Amino acid sequence: MATRHLARSVVLQSLYEWDFYGQKPELDPIVGRNMEEFAPGIDEPDFVWRIVRGVHEHLKELDEIIGKVAPDWPIKQISLIDRNILRIGLYELLYADPNEVPPKVAINEAIEIAKNFGGPNSGKFVNGVMGTVYRELEAQKSQPLGSSQ
């Protein structure tokens, strides 16, 4: 398993546990324990921490975006796995350095993780949400300055 794919898997496991317990326990010890158990000696531990801290810092905005893009699925009704995969993928798509994680890599990784860890429809659901957000980003980039649409 590639290092960054493994890193994202550790992030997912950690966010899942944290979310499962109502986001009550401290997140850092969960991440540290999961890194030791599932990715000892990982090449880029800082990559894990950047995603975890980024998702945690932008949690409210990420959840709002998910709610807008998937209005038929309130955030609490989306499975724990799928909503945390979306949080990771959207964080990378919206907030991470695009030179480090290009948008299409963020989308593809989220879809692959959904296929590996989620239910039978998780890949399609994640693809739909991530694709919609990506298309909206691209549309915003192509609008001229001062455009009101």
Side-chain angles (χ1 to χ4, degrees), residues 25-34 49:
E26 289 292 319
L27 187 53
D28 285 1
I30 295 170
V31 175
R33 185 187 69 241
N34 285 337
W49 290 109

Side-chain angles (χ1 to χ4, degrees), residues 129-147:
V129 172
M130 296 290 294
T132 299
V133 172
Y134 177 72
R135 285 188 296 279
E136 287 179 13
L137 284 174
E138 291 300 302
Q140 287 174 4
K141 287 180 188 175
S142 66
Q143 285 186 9
L145 223 60
S147 176

